[in-house]
Amino acid sequence: MAGMRVDYDPEFLGAGAFYRLLTAVVVPRPIAWVSTLAPDGTTANLAPHSFFTVACTDPPIVQFTSVGRKDSLRNVEATGEFVVNFAPEPLFEAINASATDFPSHEGEFDAVGIEREPSLRVKPPRVAASPVALECRLHSTLGIGNSTLVLGQVVHAAVREDAVVDGLPDIRRLKPLARLGRNEWGTVGEVHDLARIPYRDWPKA
């Protein structure tokens, strides 16, 4: 017999408390380490966003959500470009440090001491030590409550050669970080390989 449940009413709890509940149960969440340029091109911004996923495969579009009006969002709206840098386990401390609320004129690359490299198709730089970079041009944004959904079309993907196995990035070599609840972070543990079952092979189909 299942145990008793605890009920949570978002209207009673309020937005802040229910946000903490949501981020504790929608786990693990991949991290988009988003690099952008200020409109005048002088400051390179870098920030982790853990509301991140694929929105479409053809054309290839990824999405991240900005909770509030952050530098990443303002720069993307102004320039129409951004890079999603893969967030790997070895860069854990730098990723966390780049979430500090630095003033807009103080770029995280310089403040945290993160090496950058030029992108191929867009102006914002990549994180040099990140194994994967998805260079994106803004497709659209959608305001929802206190948040903005940012959709970007991937115009170029750059993957470090030593992370590729049989033509595709390998999760054991990428070592992705994930965000959990509270101040918790997660890493990949045991990986299971299980193919989907076609209906024609389903028992009693």
Side-chain angles (χ1 to χ4, degrees):
M1 179 178 176
M4 298 291 291
R5 293 183 184 270
V6 180
D7 296 314
Y8 298 88
D9 185 332
E11 292 188 2
F12 177 78
L13 281 180
F18 205 76
Y19 166 85
R20 290 187 289 274
L21 174 69
L22 282 176
T23 55
V25 298
V26 182
V27 291
R29 298 187 307 281
I31 300 165
W33 204 11
V34 178
S35 54
T36 58
L37 272 181
D40 61 5
T42 59
T43 304
N45 176 263
L46 181 65
H49 295 265
S50 70
F51 295 171
F52 165 58
T53 191
V54 175
C56 182
T57 60
D58 187 13
I61 292 176
V62 294
Q63 67 181 59
F64 73 91
T65 297
S66 174
V67 180
R69 299 283 305 171
K70 298 178 180 177
D71 290 337
S72 298
L73 174 60
R74 287 190 288 266
N75 290 346
V76 169
E77 288 177 334
T79 67
E81 296 182 335
F82 63 95
V83 178
V84 173
N85 301 277
F86 190 89
E89 185 179 342
L91 299 182
F92 172 47
E93 292 186 357
I95 294 165
N96 184 61
S98 70
T100 300
D101 56 343
F102 294 104
S104 297
H105 66 273
E106 190 170 352
E108 286 78 7
F109 280 96
D110 296 332
V112 180
I114 298 169
E115 184 180 355
R116 68 186 85 183
E117 69 180 21
S119 295
L120 185 68
R121 299 282 303 278
V122 298
K123 291 181 180 178
R126 308 170 186 160
V127 173
S130 175
V132 183
L134 303 177
E135 300 179 12
C136 302
R137 291 203 178 102
L138 180 63
H139 175 277
S140 57
T141 61
L142 176 63
I144 307 173
N146 70 341
S147 303
T148 302
L149 179 66
V150 179
L151 296 106
Q153 182 166 342
V154 181
V155 295
H156 183 72
V159 184
R160 201 167 61 205
E161 188 176 20
D162 61 5
V164 176
V165 175
D166 296 330
L168 288 173
D170 183 84
I171 194 168
R172 296 168 183 84
R173 298 189 178 190
L174 292 175
K175 298 182 179 180
L177 278 173
R179 283 291 279 126
L180 308 175
R182 301 181 174 88
N183 289 320
E184 301 163 337
W185 300 66
T187 57
V188 171
E190 187 175 355
V191 177
H192 302 277
D193 195 336
L194 182 64
R196 294 181 183 179
I197 303 173
Y199 180 70
R200 65 178 179 273
D201 297 333
W202 189 259
K204 301 180 181 179

